Amino acid sequence: MRRLTLPKGSSAWQRTFSSRTVPLGEVPVIDLAPALHGEPPRQLVDDMARACQGWGFFQVVNHGLDDSLRSRFEVQMRDFFALPAPTKRLIKRDGGNARGWYDDEYTKQRRDWKQGLDVGVPASRSWAVADDDPSNANLDGCNRFPPAHLLPDFRSTTVAYFEAATRISEKLALVMALGLGLPPAYFSDQLRDAHTSFLRMNYYPPCADPGPPGGPPPLGISPHKDAGFLTVLAQDEECHSLQVRRRTDDEWVTVKPIPGALTINTGDMAQIWSNDRYYAPEHRVLTHPTKQRYSAPFFYNPSFHTRVAPSPELGEPPRYAPCSWGYFRAQRFAGDLADYGTEVQISDFSTVSGSDGWHVANQANFLRQTDFGRPFDVEGNRTMLARPASSQ
């Protein structure tokens, strides 16, 4: 793993994070090396806490991900998306299985300009078990990989990358807990052995469509917040299209990847657990008229059974009612497939912002009827997911 350095001495580089300097107004950059072996130093803990509070977005360097593994994984990802469309459709996801290939995802009721492939942790917790084995069934369904005779190294390389991203996520969760004054294993104890994380591979084709007269061009992904605990993103270093909405002034800021770095953002569940101390930022992906873009976000998510609520150890009145990750995930996946009305947000569980409580009540009904050991049928459960028009 090469050790990365950032330029210093320029007057444009004004803010320091973990012995790194970043341009004023751009996302922080954090050197994770001190956390890889032993207890993270206080400076690193404080820097990451500030990044989670002020931006919800930061880049990490010296993170421990092997360069050669990342390169091999990115080659496999590009090779997959280069397959003919009929071949990819053989593993297309659907309303009964959230895993597989797709080219028809919606974000905030608007279709994305991209293709994707989702691979999740097996319910059996063993990659050696056949993907379609009953022990691997869960709310998200089961994994679907391309035919081995076409991409013989795809599955093994993807699994190796998935496990590496999991280890990085565990280290980040430890530092994030310390940043809140919580025990270092606070999040790890609730995530490590039962997490329901998934790895998403994205392909954004060039988009020459200028959009409607006087309007913006199509977006790769519309503005949204990530639902889970945190996201570990491998960006495309050749096409800079990811933007985050800066919290201080609502301006969109392009996240330009440092070569070899990983981009991290906090998700909705981190915001609830931290009782709003950490911030889940809104972000989007632009299209480009001539360039294609690849990316690979790893979503580190709780168990479907976890009821996420503000930590009592923070000593503050809770700003959220308990939110079932299984319910929140099912709602978000339904919105990925089609327009099911207004997308669920953590504000629907807020105890301070005047939420009408519909999702809290509907969640209780969902939990009574749903078996997390079986794939969730979105269309078959439409009435359990869709908010009645009278309550909107």
Side-chain angles (χ1 to χ4, degrees):
M1 180 70 193
R2 64 180 181 272
R3 187 168 182 83
L4 301 169
T5 58
L6 301 177
K8 296 184 179 181
S10 168
S11 60
W13 294 73
Q14 301 179 38
R15 192 170 182 186
T16 300
F17 281 80
S18 293
S19 300
R20 303 283 172 172
T21 48
V22 298
L24 191 65
E26 293 192 10
V27 299
V29 179
I30 295 177
D31 187 340
L32 201 58
L36 298 184
H37 306 287
E39 183 176 348
R42 188 72 245 174
Q43 181 68 45
L44 172 59
V45 172
D46 291 345
D47 287 346
M48 193 174 296
R50 289 204 310 272
C52 291
Q53 292 164 4
W55 280 89
F57 246 84
F58 54 98
Q59 296 191 68
V60 291
V61 297
N62 302 316
H63 39 65
L65 178 63
D66 182 74
D67 291 333
S68 63
L69 172 59
R70 180 170 176 174
S71 296
R72 294 196 309 274
F73 168 69
E74 291 176 352
V75 167
Q76 293 297 315
M77 175 170 57
R78 290 169 182 260
D79 286 350
F80 169 76
F81 287 116
L83 291 173
T87 301
K88 290 180 285 192
R89 289 194 189 101
L90 295 174
I91 58 169
K92 191 177 190 303
R93 76 178 187 186
D94 52 47
N97 191 343
R99 298 176 181 176
W101 173 83
Y102 53 91
D103 62 352
D104 53 2
E105 181 163 271
Y106 286 77
T107 301
K108 296 286 189 70
Q109 298 87 52
R110 183 177 178 180
R111 187 164 174 172
D112 298 336
W113 189 276
K114 71 164 191 173
Q115 298 178 29
L117 173 64
D118 288 354
V119 173
V121 62
S124 66
R125 321 309 288 187
S126 172
W127 295 99
V129 176
D131 295 314
D132 59 356
D133 188 274
S135 67
N136 274 330
N138 63 62
L139 185 79
D140 271 353
C142 60
N143 287 324
R144 294 166 167 171
F145 285 95
H149 70 278
L150 294 178
L151 294 176
D153 297 325
F154 184 88
R155 189 181 189 278
S156 60
T157 305
T158 299
V159 168
Y161 185 88
F162 190 106
E163 292 300 312
T166 302
R167 291 190 292 272
I168 293 170
S169 299
E170 291 171 353
K171 182 61 66 175
L172 292 167
L174 183 151
V175 180
M176 289 170 65
L178 291 172
L180 293 168
L182 299 173
Y186 184 84
F187 294 127
S188 300
D189 286 347
Q190 303 185 70
L191 287 161
R192 181 186 294 116
D193 295 330
H195 70 92
T196 58
S197 307
F198 64 97
L199 173 64
R200 172 167 291 172
M201 289 156 265
N202 291 321
Y203 168 58
Y204 301 86
C207 178
D209 182 357
L219 288 170
I221 305 179
S222 295
H224 66 286
K225 300 183 178 185
D226 287 353
F229 179 70
L230 64 82
T231 303
V232 176
L233 171 66
Q235 284 208 69
D236 191 324
E237 296 176 3
E238 303 300 321
C239 184
H240 305 163
S241 300
L242 173 65
Q243 293 188 321
V244 59
R245 190 188 292 276
R246 190 163 50 207
R247 191 175 190 182
T248 54
D249 58 9
D250 283 341
E251 289 294 317
W252 287 106
V253 177
T254 300
V255 184
K256 300 174 183 177
I258 295 169
L262 294 169
T263 301
I264 313 299
N265 66 273
T266 48
D268 284 332
M269 297 303 105
Q271 184 163 338
I272 293 179
W273 256 323
S274 69
N275 208 31
D276 278 345
R277 293 194 190 184
Y278 289 164
Y279 172 65
E282 192 174 36
H283 49 288
R284 67 184 184 182
V285 176
L286 306 179
T287 52
H288 195 283
T290 60
K291 288 185 178 181
Q292 56 188 358
R293 178 178 184 265
Y294 298 87
S295 70
F298 175 83
F299 301 102
Y300 193 44
N301 298 331
S303 163
F304 295 127
H305 296 276
T306 299
R307 292 175 66 104
V308 180
S311 170
E313 297 184 43
L314 295 175
E316 303 167 347
R319 299 175 64 84
Y320 297 93
C323 172
S324 162
W325 169 245
Y327 174 76
F328 203 81
R329 166 63 180 154
Q331 283 280 354
R332 282 291 182 89
F333 176 58
D336 289 346
L337 290 177
D339 185 352
Y340 274 71
T342 304
E343 185 180 75
V344 66
Q345 304 293 334
I346 59 174
S347 59
D348 294 310
F349 295 84
S350 174
T351 61
V352 297
S353 66
S355 168
D356 65 6
W358 183 85
H359 275 290
V360 175
N362 194 53
Q363 171 180 267
N365 179 52
F366 175 91
L367 293 174
R368 284 192 296 268
Q369 299 184 47
T370 303
D371 178 3
F372 291 139
R374 300 178 59 186
F376 187 73
D377 183 356
V378 171
E379 189 58 36
N381 290 284
R382 175 180 284 267
T383 57
M384 188 163 50
L385 293 171
R387 187 181 181 115
S390 59
S391 67
Q392 294 185 17

